[in-house]
Each structure stands twice: as C-alpha cells, then as structure tokens.
Amino acid sequence: MQHIEPSVEKRLAAEGIRLTGGRRQTIATLAAMGGPRTAAEIHSETGDSIPLSSLYRSLAVLTDAGILASHHGSDGVIRFELAEWFTGHHHHLVCVECGAVFDVIPTADQERRMARLVEEMAAGTGFAAAGHRFEIEGLCSKCR
Amino acid sequence: MQHIEPSVEKRLAAEGIRLTGGRRQTIATLAAMGGPRTAAEIHSETGDSIPLSSLYRSLAVLTDAGILASHHGSDGVIRFELAEWFTGHHHHLVCVECGAVFDVIPTADQERRMARLVEEMAAGTGFAAAGHRFEIEGLCSKCR
DNA sequence: TTCCTTGCAAACGATTTGCATTGGA
DNA sequence: TCCAATGCAAATCGTTTGCAAGGAA
C-alpha cells in the first residue's frame, strides 16, 4: 500500500479530493483482497467501520478519479478493484454459479491479439472503440 | 418470427412451459427490436400491454429455458435478447455514455482466435471455462 | 472560515414475490 | 379439470441522496 499511496494522493489532490482515513482504508482493503469486491464485502472486511453509505460515496469518488474500476457482475451487484494502472491490464474469470470474479493477466502477445480483434470488429460500425472487456465464464474451483 | 416459433414451442413444451400470448409477444418484440433490450423498453414497445411483473416473470422463464439470454449492463439494468441459437454467436459494442448495446458478429476466423485466447488464459487456473464474453466499449454514433 | 467528507435516515428504482384469479391444453 | 400463467399490490435489496454535523486546510 505504502508504495501506491503517494501517487493516489497526488492524483486526488489534483482534483481537490481528500485522501481521508476511510478512503485510505477502503483502498488498502481492496488491495489486500486482491480482486473485484462488492461494497458489502469491503464493508464487512473492515469490520463495519465504514457505514455503507459513506463507503458507496467513497467508492464512487475513487472510481471517478480513476483510482478504482467498477464492474457490474452477472448477479447485478457492483464490484470494485484497483484501477489497471496499479494492477496492470487484466481480464476476468467469472463464476456463473456464485458470481465470484478472479483476475487473469494476459501475456503481451495475448493482449496484442485481443487488441487486433477489437480493432477488426469495431471497424465500420460507426462506433468509437475505447477499450474492451473480456470475460471467461465458467465454474470456479469451489463451485464445480 | 413464424420460423422460430415452432422450435421455441417445442423447447418450452419439453419443460412443461406454455407459449402464451404474452410470451409470444415478448419474443416477437425482442426479435423485431434486434438487440439487447431492457424490460422497460420491451414494456413500452408493446404499449404497456404486459404488466412489468408478468414481463419480468416471462423473461426469467424464457431465459431459463434458453430462449433468451440476459446481460447485466454497466448501468445496472438487465437487457434481454434472443439466445444465440437464433441470432448466432456474437459479441457486443457497449456505449459507455448511454449504456446502449449493439451486436457484432465475429467472423469464423475471429471467433476461432477468440476461443484460442479463452483456452490459453483459463489454462492452469482451476477454473472450468464454459464460455466467454467479449465486449468492446466506446461511444455509439449518437453519443460521440 | 471554507468546503470536502461523514453518518444517519429516508428515498429510489429495478426486480421479485404473495396471493387470488384467469386461461390454456 | 388441473396447473401454469397473469395481474395487482406489496416487499426486496443494492444503491443513492438530503441534511445536519464533523474535520482538514
């Protein structure tokens, strides 16, 4: 955590956003949990020390500021994780049974091939491609 | 529509599910709208002739039976479309501004390359890959 | 002081469910 | 006839917001 905090603070300060205790704790918890997590998961992981409403507000602010990334899971719940400039670009393994999400880091070669697919598929659609999301769906080790 | 109805009815009948007027209309509307749509969109498209609660129930039943597929959008709303055995396998262009979703049909070659990526990336993760989801995010022609 | 942030409670909105009624095979 | 399907109203539940109090610069 210590190593990312200065850059986080700098990034937030640039927008007049404070890195408060609760936010610090939120980021540290997410870093420790190491994957996309729901507000409820973060909340209980921190021993309910941050009220859900405040947590949601912090998550929104931090996501907005590009510190976190959010994903709407197939169970209709939002999961948050550190943005890719911390974690590196990656994709997800999504368990269709329990909704849990795990990270997979593509090799440079895989990512290059993926980017080529994006380019090819968006070509001529009138759509301005800005990014991509690649999820592998299946059963996690617990559920199969 | 007429051409898919018999197979739908057969598939439903096999599970003791009836293809009623409301469900027929729901499927026809989705087929006509031609892309992932929310319950609210379907509801208003049909002139509010089907109450939302019934519509949700039909959508759940039809999705369960494999007639429809559902997607949780980044705006937290569920969109439904005909399952891939009607539409063919495809992927989505998602507008990050308005949440609209459009279909893209990959070529056989593109799909083969995508499958290879899935295989490579899931290997050695303890995860039983069953499918994949590939979404291109960007701005639709209306929003850019 | 100024303005961002927090906490609590109340509000929201998409989706779900209980229950009595209707309707199709 | 029998059981799935429907409609209405009420309930859920994750998430958001109003507002007054707290806190950092």
Side-chain angles (χ1 to χ4, degrees):
Chain A
M1 250 312 57
Q2 15 355 33
H3 41 305
I4 70 172
E5 234 174 53
S7 42
V8 167
E9 190 150 17
K10 195 172 163 191
R11 192 152 176 158
L12 290 178
E15 309 191 44
I17 297 170
R18 293 174 193 153
L19 182 54
T20 62
R23 291 177 182 173
R24 225 180 281 272
Q25 194 181 355
T26 300
I27 294 170
T29 303
L30 274 175
M33 300 213 286
R37 304 292 172 168
T38 66
E41 285 168 344
I42 299 167
H43 179 244
S44 71
E45 180 74 14
T46 59
D48 304 18
S49 61
I50 306 170
L52 270 175
S53 64
S54 299
L55 179 53
Y56 273 112
R57 265 194 276 236
S58 289
L59 291 170
V61 167
L62 295 172
T63 301
D64 236 52
I67 311 296
L68 304 181
S70 66
H71 309 282
H72 289 250
S74 54
D75 53 0
V77 169
I78 307 178
R79 284 160 218 274
F80 298 85
E81 66 180 332
L82 294 185
E84 295 197 333
W85 56 283
F86 289 125
T87 60
H89 177 61
H90 62 272
H91 295 289
H92 291 145
L93 292 168
V94 181
C95 180
V96 296
E97 189 65 26
C98 67
V101 183
F102 306 87
D103 290 343
V104 214
I105 297 170
T107 65
D109 175 61
Q110 287 166 344
E111 190 50 32
R112 203 174 326 113
R113 287 188 276 151
M114 190 108 47
R116 189 147 28 206
L117 283 169
V118 171
E119 207 178 300
E120 290 177 21
M121 292 173 59
T125 61
F127 206 86
H132 62 274
R133 174 169 309 204
F134 186 63
E135 295 184 349
I136 298 175
E137 304 172 319
L139 292 174
C140 71
S141 47
K142 269 186 207 151
C143 293
R144 60 172 177 159
Chain B
M1 249 305 65
Q2 10 2 21
H3 41 306
I4 70 173
E5 234 175 52
S7 43
V8 167
E9 190 150 18
K10 194 171 164 188
R11 192 152 176 159
L12 291 178
E15 309 191 43
I17 298 170
R18 293 175 192 152
L19 180 53
T20 61
R23 292 178 182 172
R24 226 180 280 271
Q25 194 181 355
T26 301
I27 295 171
T29 303
L30 274 174
M33 300 213 285
R37 303 294 172 166
T38 66
E41 286 168 343
I42 300 167
H43 178 244
S44 70
E45 180 75 14
T46 59
D48 304 19
S49 61
I50 305 171
L52 270 175
S53 64
S54 299
L55 180 55
Y56 274 113
R57 266 194 276 236
S58 288
L59 291 169
V61 167
L62 294 172
T63 300
D64 237 52
I67 310 296
L68 304 181
S70 67
H71 310 281
H72 290 251
S74 55
D75 53 0
V77 168
I78 308 178
R79 283 161 220 273
F80 298 86
E81 66 180 332
L82 294 185
E84 295 196 334
W85 57 283
F86 288 125
T87 60
H89 177 60
H90 62 271
H91 295 290
H92 290 147
L93 293 168
V94 181
C95 179
V96 296
E97 189 64 28
C98 68
V101 183
F102 305 87
D103 290 344
V104 215
I105 297 170
T107 65
D109 175 63
Q110 287 167 343
E111 189 52 32
R112 203 176 323 114
R113 287 187 277 152
M114 187 108 47
R116 189 147 34 213
L117 284 169
V118 171
E119 208 178 298
E120 290 177 23
M121 293 174 58
T125 60
F127 205 88
H132 62 273
R133 173 170 309 203
F134 186 63
E135 294 184 348
I136 297 175
E137 303 172 321
L139 293 174
C140 70
S141 47
K142 268 186 208 152
C143 293
R144 62 173 175 160

